[in-house]
Amino acid sequence: MKTPNPIDLLFADMDKLSPGDDSLSLYVLRSLPQHRFEVVVDAGCGAGRQTMVLASELGTPIQAVDSYQPFLNRLKRRAKEKGVAHLVCTHCMDMKDIPNVFPNIDLLWAEGAAFNIGFANALTTWAKAIQPNGFAVLSELCWLRDEIPDTVREFFRSGYPEMQSVPQNIAIAEEAGYKILNTYTLPREAWEEDYYDTLELRAKSLVNHSDAAVRDFAVETLREIETFKISEDSYGYVFYLLQRSAVN
Ligand SMILES: C[S@@+](CC[C@H](N)C(=O)[O-])C[C@H]1O[C@@H](n2cnc3c(N)ncnc32)[C@H](O)[C@@H]1O
């Protein structure tokens, strides 16, 4: 019998694979000082929720990069259904290789994805490929307050030990050669609606699954959601709107 993939089971048919929302993606996109871009890359696009926003709003081809082909297949299906298939080009590849494939990027977008290769490493790696004065927009999990409930701190000690505060990430971005245009913290609803609300129900239905990997993933997901509920807004997802410096 084929071993079930916990990711496929938990995230089946979900558009959102991280906290976010179409209206927020659009708001952030529209707040950039430029609105016409030739080469646009969506790194870690997942099932492409934000790819669809970028394609519809910009009307220009979006290079959608992800290392998981089933997510890209979903994106392709959705783009076809919405009549924007001609604007969505999918690439099954590692986001760390983006500079080799796209050496002249005008806008690099990454929602809830850069952490996979490390926020600082992603910024440094992608800086090589972003045109001088080009843009990078990344959303990243960050500490928002100094007072952090013990359980929350404990969860992230193993869950995401590299997590930084917003000022620390700003310093990292500046060091990597970017100017900070703005930051924007996602509201709680962006976590709850069509994301944790769906995941919580699914995870609960999978905690007694016959496969141990599925059970473990479901339990860990419920722990993550519980941590969020008691977080007292000590952490959140923050958009960083960055512009590549004109001179290296
Ligand atoms: C949390 S999901 C976010 C997806 C999407 N941006 C969203 O917000 O719905 C992170 C995505 O990064 C992809 N990913 C993880 N490591 C990657 C890598 N090294 N290169 C490319 N994609 C990667 C995963 O397959 C997943 O689709």
Side-chain angles (χ1 to χ4, degrees), residues 15-18 44-46 50 66-68 71 93-95 111-113 116-117:
D15 290 343
K16 271 167 80 160
L17 302 181
S18 72
C45 63
Q50 70 294 311
D66 204 280
S67 54
Y68 195 55
F71 288 157
M93 57 177 268
D94 197 309
M95 60 173 96
E111 282 198 44
N116 285 296
I117 58 168

Side-chain angles (χ1 to χ4, degrees), residues 7 11 14-21 25 42-51 65-69 71-72 91-98 109-117 126 139 195 237:
I7 293 180
F11 291 98
M14 281 176 68
D15 290 343
K16 271 167 80 160
L17 302 181
S18 72
D21 179 78
S25 302
D42 183 6
C45 63
R49 180 195 57 75
Q50 70 294 311
T51 320
V65 168
D66 204 280
S67 54
Y68 195 55
Q69 186 64 48
F71 288 157
L72 294 174
H91 306 267
C92 191
M93 57 177 268
D94 197 309
M95 60 173 96
K96 74 174 167 40
D97 298 326
I98 282 175
W109 198 272
E111 282 198 44
F115 74 92
N116 285 296
I117 58 168
W126 297 337
S139 70
Y195 188 58
Y237 252 98

Side-chain angles (χ1 to χ4, degrees), residues 2 27 29 73 88 95 112 115 129 144 163 185 187 192 241 247:
K2 200 167 164 253
Y27 172 81
L29 179 60
N73 293 344
V88 175
M95 60 173 96
F115 74 92
L144 297 178
M163 186 151 82
T185 304
E192 290 160 348
L241 285 67
V247 186

Side-chain angles (χ1 to χ4, degrees), residues 89-110:
C89 317
T90 57
H91 306 267
C92 191
M93 57 177 268
D94 197 309
M95 60 173 96
K96 74 174 167 40
D97 298 326
I98 282 175
N100 301 335
V101 183
F102 305 103
N104 296 301
I105 299 171
D106 298 300
L107 172 62
L108 183 301
W109 198 272

